Amino acid sequence: TSGERTAKAERMFELMDGFLKNDPLSLQKDILDHVEYTVARSRFSFDDFEAYQALSHCIRDRLIERWHDTQLHFKRKDPKRVYFLSLEYLMGRSLSNSIINLGIRDQCADALSQLGFEFEVLAEQEGDAALGNGGLARLSACQMDSLATMDFPAWGYGLRYQYGLFRQVILDGFQHEQPDYWLNFGNPWEIERVHVTYPVKFYGTVEEEILNGEKHQVWIPGEMVEAVAYDNPIPGYGTRNTITLRLWAAKPSNQHDMEAYNTGDYIDAVVNRQRAETISSILYPDDRSHQGKELRLKQQYFFVSASLQDIIRRFKDVHKDLNQFPDKVALQLNDTHPALAIPEVMRVLVDEEHLGWNKAFDIICKIFSFTTHTVLAEALEKIPVDLLESLLPRHLQIIYDINSFFMEELKKRIGLDYNRLSRMSIVEEGAVKSIRMANLSIFCSHTVNGVSKLHSELLQTRVFKDFYELWPEKFQYKTNGVTQRRWIVVSNPNLCALISKWLGTESWIRDIDLLMGLREYATDISLHQEWRMVRRVNKMRLAEYIEATSGLKVSLDAMFDVQMKRIHEYKRQLLNILGIIHRYDCIKNMAKDDRRKVVPRVCIIGGKAAPGYEMAKKIIKLCHAVAEKINNDSDVGDLLKLVFIPDYNVSVAELVIPGADLSQHISTAGHEASGTGSMKFLMNGCLLLATADGSTVEIIEEIGEDNMFLFGAKVHDVPTLREKGSTIKVPLQFARVVRMVRDGYFGFQDYFESLCNTVEGNNDYYLLGADFESYLEAQAAADKGFIDQEKWTRMSILSTAGSSRFSSDRTIQDYAEKTWGIEPCRCPL
Ligand code: GL9
């Protein structure tokens, strides 16, 4: 009976619990066993990579123990769970993070050193798991860490892409994309669940059936693939709780093409089977625009359908009555990418569970919450109706039905205002008739969240104004956050130790508000000395990395000034580069004596451009062309260096951020929904040079304008400035530096022409010209600040202290209370 099975399982877990010991000797034994039996090498001779593999398996065993206990505990308690649906996760490396969250970092280092290995060296062997594009995807990863640490009964769902985000290779200063086959050397951090599989269906037709005298729509699919689960345990810090990130891979279904085999078309049938796997093969690298590709839509539905089958199965294991679904399940839509979950749940409830439309829709409106991550209209997903009709005919019907209901509701509220009705409609008429996924998500979710205060204001007053006016109570915001476990403890161990020493506790790693305690010591001279020492060691590590990747030697006395993020016109890397050209030009035109007064800088830029984004690629090339000129100019020497760090990813960020003195977050106001890079720099005591955009507005509230270098037009100035267009007075220096690029001072004159055009006169949509003067002033203030090391160090300490509000722990606490209605469910130790 199932009671006996549970009892047996419990006895097994009791036996297992604490079976794996964490003292250095036990760890050593397990590592060596894995060398011999898992990696299949001699325990007397293995290299760093093999040692990494064995160590990872040894850690994985420990994760699995805790993870079993957690899942059993959740099952027993049966709390309301949150299911986080996201098409992207940027997990980066797992080894250090796992060891730290398990609390066995020192024991592991000891065990290894006795075996003749160094922990840091082994950690470097791991590749990055890059199943995402940028901020949105890293946010999901940070939030998973917080969900586990704060003991929430949560599951993450996503896709197991075989190829993650492309590797960026720079040849002659141009970006080239290479495939990232990250699974090449195996992945010890996932567990394949061969028995957790679900069929996912596509295409076909919808037919009407009469059941108990009532009409029903039935989808007769035309193709079927199998979704296989891969579980990635996510350990919390300072807790036994270890939750699951379940990623789906597509496999051919056994029922797939039976006919083809029978008709003897063997070769074609096998080839067709392989085609099924392409669904989860590649991550789309475009960070914001999606052009209605069929494969992308297939990915979305594949992931949604498998996740929902899994979620409903888990619910039905315990509960009979689907009316209780909203008491036990919260579904979080991370952007519109998983929005097909809405019609899919409707389809299951109405077509399969025969719940009746009204009842089903009632449930829908109680379970979904939606977070939007953009302010850019072009980033709002639209799915061409033709595409949806062929791939998911029943879902299109359901969306139409939802829309008719929505339009009727609307007419009751606003009458026959056809302009507004058509703006708000889920269906967009026009050359390409399409489905507006954001409108669908807003109408069907109980809560719509923005990702910062400013973002939320823009959603309410511009992007979704029509909706806000009718349902103001739906609109909330949860300012993004990042996890201090990854962004201080893992990536900056020396700062971590220093903070714990001064606070007299390590508790801030779980309880981030304690970090504010540093404010008390912001002027303490001995903290200043230790702080500067830690920062210098980090700069050394970064300088070594720069030398290794680019051959360039940089001075540790220079200010390390970093801008690393996806390359986008609105993020204005071009403003940064033009500012560097200006600096260079000034140094060149200075009398030799005056040069002694210049504050030396190492300007560091990094980030990937979407493969089809031409202007972004030109910006990368310009950066290299300018670097070539500056770095080889003996007039300039150590006063100015420019480095492009290739292939920016999570592990590169872990190395660069702790070594930065200054970092730039300089988007045109009103364009960065939140920004999370700034929070990581802030935590690490790096000063910010920034515009009042996205979450920076709240950073200002927290640390004060005096502790950063703020510049540029405010969000409310932007429309006026745009209207003024070419009549704005642009500073002469701006015209001069653009002209230098135009005239071929850095070569590639023809190639850069179109880039120069984007910032001149009426074309200057992102207002580089309008903001240039105030940008230079902020830069000058940063130079001045850097000379006064005492002041700088105080600002740096206050930055770290003020970063506590930007922990993802706070974000998740907010979501749990105000959006999902879930409570912690802590697994006993
Ligand atoms: C983004 C926003 O642009 C960022 O400002 C925000 O911090 C993150 C997380 O909320 O989401 N939206 C978005 O599409 N991306 C973001 O970074 N892009 C990528 O993830 C590439």
Side-chain angles (χ1 to χ4, degrees):
T1 68
S2 86
E4 276 165 14
R5 268 208 311 277
T6 321
K8 197 169 151 203
E10 278 176 29
R11 270 201 305 283
M12 286 287 289
F13 290 135
E14 267 164 33
L15 274 175
M16 257 182 83
D17 188 30
F19 182 70
L20 296 165
K21 297 280 190 292
N22 293 325
D23 56 288
L25 217 68
S26 310
L27 288 166
Q28 255 176 37
K29 179 183 175 302
D30 290 354
I31 293 169
L32 290 176
D33 281 350
H34 275 299
V35 168
E36 184 157 350
Y37 305 120
T38 308
V39 187
R41 299 294 297 179
S42 155
R43 57 171 71 225
F44 303 107
S45 154
F46 51 99
D47 63 18
D48 284 340
F49 183 67
E50 288 151 0
Y52 154 73
Q53 287 180 301
L55 173 63
S56 302
H57 278 279
C58 161
I59 301 307
R60 165 193 162 119
D61 293 344
R62 284 156 178 79
L63 290 177
I64 290 175
E65 269 192 351
R66 290 162 178 246
W67 179 60
H68 275 144
D69 293 351
T70 310
Q71 299 313 319
L72 191 72
H73 185 67
F74 287 172
K75 200 165 182 174
R76 266 198 212 129
K77 295 277 170 188
D78 188 37
K80 181 175 183 185
R81 293 167 165 96
V82 65
Y83 294 101
F84 189 87
L85 306 181
S86 176
L87 222 52
E88 299 191 11
Y89 293 88
L90 267 179
M91 302 304 284
R93 291 173 174 155
S94 288
L95 178 62
S96 292
N97 192 238
S98 304
I99 284 181
I100 283 169
N101 282 14
L102 292 177
I104 55 173
R105 161 75 242 242
D106 294 344
Q107 295 90 315
C108 282
D110 279 359
L112 287 168
S113 83
Q114 288 168 23
L115 292 172
F117 291 91
E118 210 183 315
F119 174 70
E120 280 75 22
V121 176
L122 300 199
E124 290 287 312
Q125 302 293 314
E126 185 176 353
D128 252 43
L131 306 185
N133 272 287
L136 175 150
R138 181 56 226 177
L139 182 74
S140 308
C142 283
Q143 295 188 337
M144 288 303 293
D145 181 79
S146 292
L147 283 164
T149 298
M150 302 168 77
D151 302 318
F152 285 114
W155 288 67
Y157 280 100
L159 267 186
R160 180 182 180 268
Y161 303 104
Q162 275 185 303
Y163 294 88
L165 185 59
F166 65 87
R167 296 250 170 87
Q168 180 190 52
V169 175
I170 306 289
L171 292 174
D172 289 331
F174 291 100
Q175 168 178 301
H176 294 259
E177 299 89 30
Q178 281 180 4
D180 162 54
Y181 192 66
W182 66 295
L183 297 168
N184 245 347
F185 297 101
N187 175 15
W189 307 108
E190 65 180 11
I191 299 147
E192 183 179 1
R193 293 265 168 246
V194 282
H195 296 300
V196 183
T197 68
Y198 297 97
V200 177
K201 296 151 187 172
F202 299 104
Y203 305 107
T205 53
V206 180
E207 282 165 26
E208 208 170 80
E209 258 181 16
I210 307 285
L211 210 102
N212 303 330
E214 272 183 54
K215 273 192 214 159
H216 280 273
Q217 305 298 321
V218 185
W219 178 25
I220 319 285
E223 189 184 299
M224 189 155 98
V225 297
E226 206 75 19
V228 184
Y230 285 76
D231 285 347
N232 300 252
I234 310 288
Y237 177 94
T239 170
R240 199 167 175 77
N241 279 39
T242 299
I243 60 175
T244 314
L245 172 59
R246 178 162 279 183
L247 303 179
W248 302 105
K251 294 273 155 70
S253 140
N254 277 335
Q255 276 140 319
H256 198 269
D257 296 318
M258 278 313 278
E259 217 161 297
Y261 285 101
N262 297 338
T263 56
D265 201 352
Y266 172 66
I267 300 286
D268 268 3
V270 173
V271 169
N272 264 334
R273 280 176 62 86
Q274 281 192 343
R275 245 191 8 177
E277 290 176 17
T278 58
I279 293 179
S280 59
S281 72
I282 181 151
L283 165 80
Y284 276 89
D286 306 282
D287 53 336
R288 275 168 186 81
S289 58
H290 296 285
Q291 314 93 343
K293 289 267 188 295
E294 183 180 56
L295 180 58
R296 166 90 181 171
L297 187 60
K298 263 187 149 168
Q299 290 186 335
Q300 294 184 342
Y301 181 65
F302 171 77
F303 143 68
V304 154
S305 164
S307 306
L308 285 170
Q309 291 182 65
D310 200 38
I311 293 165
I312 294 170
R313 182 211 27 92
R314 188 169 305 114
F315 173 84
K316 283 187 160 182
D317 271 353
V318 184
H319 304 276
K320 299 275 151 325
D321 182 5
L322 274 161
N323 288 304
Q324 288 173 354
F325 203 56
D327 304 329
K328 292 292 170 189
V329 172
L331 293 174
Q332 166 67 23
L333 303 174
N334 196 32
D335 218 292
T336 54
H337 316 154
L340 283 170
I342 295 168
E344 174 66 0
V345 175
M346 275 307 274
R347 188 188 65 79
V348 173
L349 295 183
V350 174
D351 296 1
E352 292 178 3
E353 303 288 338
H354 306 296
L355 218 52
W357 177 271
N358 291 339
K359 191 71 241 169
F361 196 70
D362 201 43
I363 292 177
I364 293 282
C365 295
K366 288 183 182 147
I367 55 178
F368 282 104
S369 54
F370 164 54
T371 298
T372 169
H373 298 263
T374 190
V375 277
L376 309 179
E378 68 266 28
L380 297 175
E381 267 188 311
K382 288 178 202 163
I383 299 184
V385 161
D386 288 348
L387 206 62
L388 201 54
E389 187 161 33
S390 104
L391 191 70
L392 300 167
R394 177 63 183 137
H395 295 78
L396 180 63
Q397 279 185 350
I398 292 173
I399 292 172
Y400 278 151
D401 288 346
I402 294 177
N403 198 43
S404 323
F405 175 67
F406 175 37
M407 290 292 114
E408 287 314 309
E409 287 293 294
L410 262 186
K411 282 179 200 156
K412 285 184 213 153
R413 305 272 308 259
I414 63 169
L416 298 180
D417 180 346
Y418 285 110
N419 280 331
R420 188 162 180 193
L421 287 171
S422 90
R423 281 201 307 269
M424 294 181 74
S425 173
I426 295 167
V427 183
E428 180 176 270
E429 305 289 341
V432 185
K433 189 171 174 181
S434 24
I435 303 301
R436 296 169 172 147
M437 300 307 269
N439 296 22
L440 174 68
S441 306
I442 296 174
F443 178 57
C444 300
S445 299
H446 56 78
T447 309
V448 178
N449 273 297
V451 289
S452 72
K453 191 190 276 181
L454 179 64
H455 180 221
S456 180
E457 271 166 39
L458 294 173
L459 294 178
Q460 295 174 9
T461 54
R462 297 185 194 170
V463 192
F464 301 129
K465 184 169 184 277
D466 289 319
F467 288 87
Y468 175 71
E469 283 170 4
L470 294 174
W471 294 282
E473 67 287 352
K474 258 193 199 188
F475 287 76
Q476 301 182 5
Y477 70 94
K478 311 275 177 291
T479 303
N480 286 167
V482 301
T483 163
Q484 66 271 26
R485 267 82 58 187
R486 166 100 29 179
W487 297 107
I488 301 182
V489 187
V490 172
S491 67
N492 201 342
N494 294 332
L495 185 69
C496 172
L498 186 63
I499 293 172
S500 299
K501 178 184 150 190
W502 279 80
L503 293 179
T505 172
E506 287 185 349
S507 302
W508 60 274
I509 301 172
R510 267 184 72 90
D511 184 0
I512 191 71
D513 285 343
L514 295 174
L515 204 54
M516 283 189 271
L518 281 178
R519 285 182 177 151
E520 207 179 304
Y521 311 108
T523 52
D524 190 307
I525 294 306
S526 46
L527 175 59
H528 276 214
Q529 270 169 3
E530 294 173 32
W531 195 267
R532 280 201 286 267
M533 187 77 96
V534 164
R535 298 197 48 76
R536 192 157 179 102
V537 172
N538 292 336
K539 283 177 82 168
M540 217 136 68
R541 194 167 62 141
L542 173 52
E544 279 165 18
Y545 184 75
I546 292 174
E547 192 174 350
T549 47
S550 69
L552 196 70
K553 276 198 167 50
V554 297
S555 156
L556 294 183
D557 296 323
M559 183 201 300
F560 284 15
D561 161 354
V562 179
Q563 187 183 20
M564 300 238 266
K565 44 185 88 223
R566 285 296 286 253
I567 311 289
H568 215 289
E569 283 162 289
Y570 84 79
K571 293 181 190 278
R572 301 200 292 191
Q573 281 92 355
L574 185 53
L575 177 62
N576 186 359
I577 298 171
L578 293 174
I580 293 168
I581 297 174
H582 173 73
R583 183 174 287 266
Y584 172 63
D585 192 40
C586 289
I587 297 174
K588 292 286 283 180
N589 294 323
M590 248 176 221
K592 275 229 166 64
D593 269 358
D594 290 340
R595 288 192 188 149
R596 270 184 288 140
K597 291 186 210 136
V598 174
V599 179
R601 284 245 189 171
V602 177
C603 300
I604 298 164
I605 296 180
K608 293 177 183 179
Y613 191 171
E614 208 185 319
M615 284 308 157
K617 289 185 145 179
K618 291 193 182 207
I619 291 171
I620 292 177
K621 174 62 187 170
L622 179 63
C623 181
H624 284 89
V626 173
E628 176 83 16
K629 186 99 185 168
I630 296 179
N631 298 344
N632 294 308
D633 190 331
S634 57
D635 279 355
V636 173
D638 271 349
L639 293 184
L640 183 59
K641 291 277 178 253
L642 172 55
V643 199
F644 187 90
I645 294 195
D647 204 34
Y648 182 52
N649 60 20
V650 176
S651 26
V652 172
E654 286 172 34
L655 191 121
V656 175
I657 292 172
D661 294 305
L662 184 77
S663 73
Q664 301 196 35
H665 310 277
I666 57 177
S667 49
T668 315
H671 287 264
E672 193 68 272
S674 164
T676 46
S678 54
M679 302 171 180
K680 299 162 197 166
F681 284 100
L682 193 72
M683 274 188 176
N684 283 275
C686 169
L687 304 197
L688 309 186
L689 190 147
T691 47
D693 197 15
S695 57
T696 305
V697 174
E698 288 152 87
I699 295 180
I700 300 167
E701 283 176 11
E702 202 58 30
I703 68 170
E705 262 185 58
D706 298 345
N707 284 311
M708 59 195 296
F709 307 101
L710 198 63
F711 78 98
K714 300 280 183 290
V715 74
H716 305 291
D717 307 329
V718 168
T720 335
L721 286 169
R722 279 193 180 140
E723 253 164 52
K724 283 191 188 158
S726 59
T727 63
I728 298 177
K729 235 184 74 212
V730 164
L732 280 176
Q733 302 110 308
F734 185 74
R736 179 172 163 85
V737 292
V738 176
R739 176 123 316 266
M740 284 168 79
V741 179
R742 230 187 229 298
D743 288 351
Y745 193 85
F746 305 100
F748 303 90
Q749 193 171 354
D750 295 343
Y751 182 72
F752 292 137
E753 189 189 331
S754 56
L755 186 61
C756 293
N757 291 342
T758 65
V759 295
E760 281 193 336
N762 277 327
N763 294 337
D764 188 12
Y765 185 74
Y766 294 107
L767 303 173
L768 278 71
D771 273 352
F772 199 63
E773 198 170 328
S774 99
Y775 178 66
L776 295 182
E777 281 165 18
Q779 286 287 11
D783 284 332
K784 203 166 151 228
F786 196 67
I787 299 172
D788 184 348
Q789 280 291 303
E790 199 180 313
K791 184 174 168 210
W792 189 277
T793 308
R794 192 185 70 233
M795 290 167 79
S796 168
I797 295 169
L798 289 174
S799 295
T800 301
S803 68
S804 63
R805 177 161 156 201
F806 305 98
S807 163
S808 45
D809 294 352
R810 192 258 320 131
T811 316
I812 286 299
Q813 184 64 42
D814 266 13
Y815 270 108
E817 277 172 24
K818 301 195 189 110
T819 299
W820 302 326
I822 56 165
E823 277 167 14
C825 182
R826 190 175 169 92
C827 182
L829 287 176

